[in-house]
Amino acid sequence: MESENVQKKVVMTAAQPTGKLHLGNYLGAIKNWGQMIEDYECYFGIVDMHAITIPYVPADLKRNVYDCAAQYMACGLDPQKCNLFLQSMVKGHAELAWILGCICPIGSLERMTQYKDKAKKHKDALNSGLLYYPVLMASDILIYNADLVPVGEDQKQHLELTRDLAQKFNNMYSPTFKLPEPYIPKSGARIMSLQSPDSKMSKSDPNQNGTLYITDEPSVLQKKIMSAVTDSDSSVRYDVQNKPGVSNLMSIMAAFTQKTYGQIEDEFSGKGYGDFKKAVAEVVIESLAPVRQSYKDYSSDKAMIEDAIKKGSQAATRRTTKMMAKVYRKVGFLNFEK
Ligand code: TRP
């Protein structure tokens, strides 16, 4: 793969193995990653080392990694066309994180908004790993010398820190790391909760009727969509301020059908919310049917998942080993193997 792809730009991104993917993960991220695999050399990480920064159960982590890989593949991340790796299998991530940590001011970690939010939530189990999280993320990115890093809005601050650390390392030693560009896909829809359309769709939403999982049964999807919160006006019109619920359903429909908001408005002018929701449900159910089917196939084939992760992690190790040798040499570590 490497030799025929030398001219291709390198894309690196990752997500934690959180279990079930919802429509926000799918339309906002994974679906777009799938569109990049033809044009770029892609490294997609399942970051299990990030997942242990908050309290967790080891057996669940293992299960979630398998489940996450099966869902990624079901969403179109073909392991033959991209490198699906597991962070803990690629040793350089932790090694580079240590070195970057040694040039990273504590203050800049304490300022990270995600750290502050999570620290509040986990007051009674506040480990240094949580503070150090962005350094590991910087390592994830820099070790691939990636050109593009697709991330959501909420990760922009971490990416800025990554650039700062790269710059600092380059200045202290010599030019080594490319400064990675955040890539916020144009088509990346921001999907909100169906029950409280002012907040993002989330796995930890206490009202699970607001969250559509890509592996939900059709009847469940139908029920959740039919009971989505709307408003008392009854026209299908895109207006996030005054009609957040309807606008959210319109974004979902637009993301799946490529229709514009104008086209959707025309199609449903004079019709009520009932008809509109039915149509949204139909589109979602139909679009997710193949994903759900291949998820079933993949998740019953453990060996296939293991092969994919192994292949991806080996490719990731090949790419990152060279970078680590360079970094070790620059920081002054001895190497007797040359
Ligand atoms: N912190 C990211 C998130 O929560 C996950 C992540 C870890 C990541 N390492 C990364 C994303 C490297 C992009 C690149 O979404």
Side-chain angles (χ1 to χ4, degrees), residues 12-16 47 50 114 133 137 140-141 149 151 155:
M12 188 280 153
T13 189
Q16 291 194 42
V47 287
H50 277 96
Q114 194 166 19
Y133 180 114
M137 177 163 166
D140 295 340
I141 297 169
V149 185
V151 286
Q155 295 299 312

Side-chain angles (χ1 to χ4, degrees), residues 189 236 238 247 250-252 254-255 259-266:
V236 174
Y238 192 81
S247 304
M250 288 178 74
S251 324
I252 294 174
K259 283 181 190 165
T260 64
Y261 294 135
Q263 284 169 325
I264 298 172
E265 283 168 4
D266 290 347

Side-chain angles (χ1 to χ4, degrees), residues 287-298:
S287 313
L288 289 181
V291 175
R292 196 167 38 247
Q293 186 52 50
S294 43
Y295 169 69
K296 278 188 187 152
D297 297 342
Y298 284 125

Side-chain angles (χ1 to χ4, degrees), residues 118-135:
K118 286 194 188 174
K120 251 185 251 156
K121 266 196 223 155
H122 301 282
K123 263 198 211 98
D124 40 343
L126 194 49
N127 308 310
S128 336
L130 196 61
L131 180 67
Y132 207 68
Y133 180 114
V135 179

